Each structure stands twice: as C-alpha cells, then as structure tokens.
Amino acid sequence: MKALFVSCTLKKSPEPSNTEALGRVVAEELQGRGVEVEHVRLVDLDVPPGVVTDLGEGDAWPRVHERLLDARILVVLTPTWLGRPSSVAQRMLERMDAMISEEGADGVPVAYSRVAGVVVTGNEDGAHHVISEISGALADIGYTIPGQAWTYWNQGPGPGPDYVQTGHGHEWARETGRLMAHNLHAVASALEARPVPAPGS
C-alpha cells in the first residue's frame, strides 16, 4: 500500500516546513504499518492554475496526478494563513477538480476507494476550518475521509513561536497524528479488500 504526502507549504526547498515536521509523525506511523510513503512539496514544482489534469508543456501537475492514482492514501499538509488553507493547497484542489469526471476502465471514478486526511499547523486558530475546507473538497472529488483523519497544531491567538521552535502542544498533536494514521490505514485496507463499485452497479 502506498501513501502520498502533498505538502502545501509556501516555503521552497530546502527551507524547513513546520507542517511537514508534524506530517512526519503520521508518515512514520504509516511506515510502521508497512505503507510505502512518498512526499511532494508542491511549491517546488511548476504547477500553473487550472482545473484540468494536463495544461501542456511545462506543466508538472500530470506527474503529481500519476502519483495520486498510484497511492491508496493521500495526506494533505497545509499551514494556516488568515484562517484559511494556503494558496498552494487551493491550487492543488483546483487541479484535482478534473478527477471528479475521470473514471478507470471499470467505470469507477478514480478517487473512489482511496482515503485522505489533513495535517495543519499555524500560530493562530483556524485549523478546524482548514480541515473542513480541504476534507470537504476531497470528499467532493471522491475520496473517503475516515473518522478523525486529521491532526493539527497551533500556538494560540497572536504571534508566537512556530511548531519546531516550541514543545507546546506537541504531545497532543503527535498522539492525534498517530491515531490519524491508524484510521487512514484501517479504512484504506477495508476499501482495498472491498472497493466501492461503479455507480449504478
């Protein structure tokens, strides 16, 4: 089983990402369950805006799309800015919109029988709003969202240290991240054994 972690940080490599630091907790738990994990930092790629899978020459999204279809589990990682998902996360969802109308040879929408979860960090509140926006969009696309398939960390209102600069709230965020991995793996395994059939069948 494979999992794809798509980082929607605004920071280009090799700058460290707080959201990816928390995401590693989830990745390590999945790896402990035998899941092969791959990471993509979207801001490092040339992904222009659009709502189709392939915009032609220079578009890096088709390769990300291939990785999405190769993975049973998708984990979206995003910071919180102005109480909302990052602009990179929004662009990712817009590009994934095309998957709503894509079907496999068996007539099953390509996102069916795949599961997804969300990892969020930020200095101020808004994590539940961000989780709801991304989870809702992924459900529209066809992903199954298991119960408690998210984890987050925030420092609280106002400016303050980043996730990697403090131990505040780490125990809870990590424990929730490990539970997230458990639920993602459990539901993905169930759907792998008994996939969602084509609509109308």
Side-chain angles (χ1 to χ4, degrees):
M1 184 180 294
K2 294 183 180 180
L4 179 65
F5 280 59
V6 180
S7 172
C8 298
T9 177
L10 302 183
K11 301 170 181 175
K12 288 196 172 186
S13 297
E15 189 174 357
S17 162
N18 292 285
T19 316
E20 289 177 12
L22 178 55
R24 281 194 289 273
V25 174
V26 183
E28 289 168 3
E29 185 71 19
L30 286 172
Q31 288 171 323
R33 296 169 184 271
V35 178
E36 181 182 337
V37 175
E38 183 179 9
H39 300 267
V40 173
R41 188 181 284 202
L42 213 57
V43 75
D44 289 339
L45 306 176
D46 185 5
V47 178
V51 291
V52 297
T53 295
D54 192 343
L55 287 170
E57 185 177 355
D59 182 8
W61 179 256
R63 177 66 184 116
V64 179
H65 179 265
E66 289 175 11
R67 294 174 181 175
L68 288 169
L69 298 188
D70 197 36
R72 181 70 58 177
I73 299 170
L74 168 64
V75 178
V76 178
L77 304 95
T78 181
T80 308
W81 291 112
L82 300 174
R84 303 183 58 80
S86 75
S87 57
V88 176
Q90 179 62 29
R91 179 163 298 189
M92 176 202 70
L93 293 171
E94 289 167 351
R95 294 303 300 267
M96 291 179 72
D97 182 81
M99 294 172 65
I100 295 173
S101 58
E102 294 176 5
E103 296 179 349
D106 54 4
V108 177
V110 294
Y112 279 27
S113 300
R114 304 180 194 279
V115 303
V118 188
V119 174
V120 179
T121 60
N123 275 338
E124 300 187 32
D125 203 6
H128 279 285
H129 172 75
V130 172
I131 291 164
S132 297
E133 284 209 346
I134 294 177
S135 296
L138 293 172
D140 281 349
I141 292 164
Y143 281 85
T144 295
I145 312 298
Q148 211 285 283
W150 49 261
T151 188
Y152 71 86
W153 174 90
N154 67 63
Q155 176 66 28
D162 293 331
Y163 175 80
V164 297
Q165 297 172 327
T166 177
H168 164 78
H170 281 207
E171 183 178 352
W172 180 88
R174 289 170 179 165
E175 181 180 348
T176 308
R178 288 189 285 269
L179 177 59
M180 168 187 175
H182 168 81
N183 292 347
L184 285 168
H185 182 257
V187 176
S189 297
L191 288 170
E192 188 173 47
R194 189 169 182 178
V196 179
S201 62

